[in-house]
Amino acid sequence: MHDPKLSHLTTADPALAALIEGETQRQHDKLRMIASENYVSAAVLEATGTVLTNKYSEGYPGKRYYEGQQFVDQIETLTIERAKALFGTDHANVQTYSGSPANLAIYLAFLSPGDTVMTMSLAHGGHLTHGSPVSITGKWFNPVHYGVERETGRVDMNKVRELALAERPKMIICGGTAIPRTIDFPAFAEIAQEVGAILMADIAHIAGLIVGGAHPSPVGFADVITTTTHKTLRGPRGAMAMAKAEYATVVDKAVFPGLQGGPHNHTTAGIAVALHEAAQPSFKDYAAQVVANSKALAAALVEHGFDLVSGGTDNHLILSDLTNKGIGGKPAAKALDAAGIELNFNGVPFDTRRPFDPSGIRLGTAALTTRGLTEQHMPQVAAWMDQAIEAAVKEDEAAYARIAGEVKDLLDGFPMPGHAL
Ligand code: DSN
């Protein structure tokens, strides 16, 4: 059952309440390994479900276009101060609606249409908003891409430098959505400085690891940093844009009025709670455990013959090319879902298959670590994954229900925030 209880919703709209209860139970019973997902605390859930959703607040604290900001100004200021303290940045904008608008705001702040931006290619682990041809960032700007090496699955910073010197981008973006290895922020900063480019770090996936001390920070290296708040940072769906002091005004103006209208104050409050939680000593333990679990799972997967991009992981994320398992990423992801293991199909670098039917799967350990699973459980997780994929190859659909039952039995011993028995 959902926690907090859906008592009003159950009376007002029982059909919707039943669907949300179904999703609550699904999240409880499944091994959730989509690398960009997590479980927020009940306190974050409470903050996002408040009367703050009633309020318009275009502008920034102390400079709004609507009256009645006596409390919202304090909430947004508290969130900004928490973000600055936690990440150690000069400036934080906590109004960006999500990762894509946050990134677009940074394009608006620093680029004009047609300008060159250099980013990790989507096919090698970047993000749609890093200049993919189907994104506004690829249609209105001139993206050039770096990627990983075929042999190592890692970025060669010498090649990044050569490309930057040849293309002279106005902005360089580091970070992405399917990068299992540590990002070398000092090397990117050196290159950006050499070519006179703005350096933007998109830390959406690793923000929680950074504040938890399990991944190096881009602060002091990147001019501007964007992040979503709902992945390893374990907050509500939202985003932030942080910047060096000299870029504070241009970033704020790009977010509002450049790109957005009123901020979502209920989300801001949820972000404030998540930042407070991430500032507690226990969050360091969480971040370390996420990485320990990921490394243990990667090692166990390798023992089962999984081919991992770059051979392993430094963070929460694992990318596997399933070609040697004789199955595409999509049918594998569907089989795993039927077996109670939730992840997503994903392209791998140099993939020869199409993006909607790629060769790989992507998984992460942020959510299962929140549930309390540790390294000792990872060999079992890898074994279940192997069994489900083998069942898919052999079309042994009966195996899925058995595995899903075993997964549920394990998870019944690990409480889920937002779910009460
Ligand atoms: N969709 C997110 C992810 O899964 O990584 C990024 O936007």
Side-chain angles (χ1 to χ4, degrees), residues 180-182 288-301 308 312-318 365 375 378:
R181 293 297 178 179
T182 302
Q289 190 63 55
V290 168
V291 176
N293 283 350
S294 185
K295 284 179 183 290
L297 181 55
L301 287 169
L308 305 189
T313 181
D314 296 328
N315 54 31
H316 65 302
L317 186 147
I318 297 167
T365 52
E375 296 100 309
M378 296 306 117

Side-chain angles (χ1 to χ4, degrees), residues 34-36 100 127 177 205 228 231 344 362:
I34 291 180
S36 46
S100 296
H127 185 250
T177 62
H205 266 263
T228 49
K231 299 185 174 87
N344 67 279
R362 185 190 70 158

Side-chain angles (χ1 to χ4, degrees), residues 273-293:
V273 178
L275 294 170
H276 181 63
E277 291 173 352
Q280 306 310 310
S282 59
F283 199 83
K284 286 203 185 323
D285 300 337
Y286 167 69
Q289 190 63 55
V290 168
V291 176
N293 283 350

Side-chain angles (χ1 to χ4, degrees), residues 58-60 63 65 93 95 97 105 108 249-263:
E58 286 181 8
Y60 289 102
K63 281 168 69 180
Y65 289 81
N93 183 308
Q95 294 194 3
Y97 295 146
L108 180 63
T249 304
V250 72
V251 167
D252 278 354
K253 281 190 172 160
V255 173
F256 173 85
L259 191 66
Q260 299 187 173

Side-chain angles (χ1 to χ4, degrees), residues 36-397:
S36 46
E37 294 185 350
N38 210 327
Y39 294 95
V40 298
S41 68
V44 169
L45 283 179
E46 274 183 7
T48 55
T50 59
V51 295
L52 293 172
T53 198
N54 297 339
K55 189 75 197 105
Y56 248 119
S57 314
E58 286 181 8
Y60 289 102
K63 281 168 69 180
R64 305 282 191 185
Y65 289 81
Y66 293 78
E67 298 313 314
Q69 311 296 342
Q70 291 82 1
F71 295 98
V72 165
D73 269 7
Q74 293 183 65
I75 289 166
E76 187 170 332
T77 302
L78 181 67
T79 313
I80 290 168
E81 292 309 320
R82 285 181 179 175
K84 285 163 58 179
L86 187 63
F87 284 88
T89 51
D90 297 337
H91 180 68
N93 183 308
V94 298
Q95 294 194 3
T96 49
Y97 295 146
S98 201
S100 296
N103 288 353
L104 193 55
I106 304 310
Y107 281 75
L108 180 63
F110 294 105
L111 306 182
S112 298
D115 279 347
T116 299
V117 56
M118 195 174 109
T119 79
M120 181 92 151
S121 100
L122 178 61
H124 286 212
H127 185 250
L128 271 176
T129 56
H130 298 178
S132 157
V134 295
S135 154
I136 186 173
T137 58
K139 292 180 194 288
W140 289 9
F141 302 92
N142 175 39
V144 292
H145 298 297
Y146 57 89
V148 297
E149 297 302 296
R150 194 184 280 274
E151 301 72 32
T152 61
R154 294 173 188 250
V155 175
D156 178 341
M157 293 308 296
N158 292 322
K159 292 199 177 157
V160 174
R161 178 169 177 266
E162 280 165 24
L163 187 66
L165 287 170
E167 299 285 349
R168 295 271 158 191
K170 207 160 166 190
M171 183 160 82
I172 297 175
I173 301 179
C174 56
T177 62
I179 303 175
R181 293 297 178 179
T182 302
I183 300 167
D184 189 347
F185 297 120
F188 274 105
E190 203 175 306
I191 294 165
Q193 210 161 29
E194 190 176 356
V195 300
I198 290 287
L199 179 63
M200 169 182 147
D202 179 343
I203 60 166
H205 266 263
I206 52 176
L209 304 184
I210 289 169
V211 300
H215 188 291
S217 170
V219 176
F221 300 105
D223 299 301
V224 55
I225 299 166
T226 61
T227 184
T228 49
T229 45
H230 47 268
K231 299 185 174 87
T232 52
L233 192 55
R234 216 161 58 174
R237 300 196 75 89
M240 305 192 293
M242 296 169 277
K244 291 181 175 167
E246 63 202 285
Y247 301 118
T249 304
V250 72
V251 167
D252 278 354
K253 281 190 172 160
V255 173
F256 173 85
L259 191 66
Q260 299 187 173
H264 294 175
N265 297 311
H266 55 302
T267 299
T268 307
I271 293 172
V273 178
L275 294 170
H276 181 63
E277 291 173 352
Q280 306 310 310
S282 59
F283 199 83
K284 286 203 185 323
D285 300 337
Y286 167 69
Q289 190 63 55
V290 168
V291 176
N293 283 350
S294 185
K295 284 179 183 290
L297 181 55
L301 287 169
V302 167
E303 279 188 21
H304 285 284
F306 282 81
D307 176 9
L308 305 189
V309 172
S310 83
T313 181
D314 296 328
N315 54 31
H316 65 302
L317 186 147
I318 297 167
L319 193 58
S320 178
D321 182 344
L322 297 180
T323 306
N324 69 342
K325 294 271 181 194
I327 188 168
K330 192 172 182 177
K334 290 200 175 305
L336 286 158
D337 193 49
I341 297 170
E342 184 188 357
L343 43 69
N344 67 279
F345 60 84
N346 213 95
V348 294
F350 310 101
D351 210 326
T352 51
R353 297 167 67 121
R354 292 166 299 136
F356 204 62
D357 182 25
S359 299
I361 50 173
R362 185 190 70 158
L363 51 140
T365 52
L368 61 77
T369 305
T370 298
R371 287 294 287 271
L373 271 60
T374 61
E375 296 100 309
Q376 61 167 314
H377 303 106
M378 296 306 117
Q380 178 63 76
V381 172
W384 281 328
M385 287 180 62
D386 194 43
Q387 289 163 19
I389 286 173
E390 205 178 298
V393 172
K394 292 184 181 156
E395 297 181 11
D396 171 16
E397 296 196 0

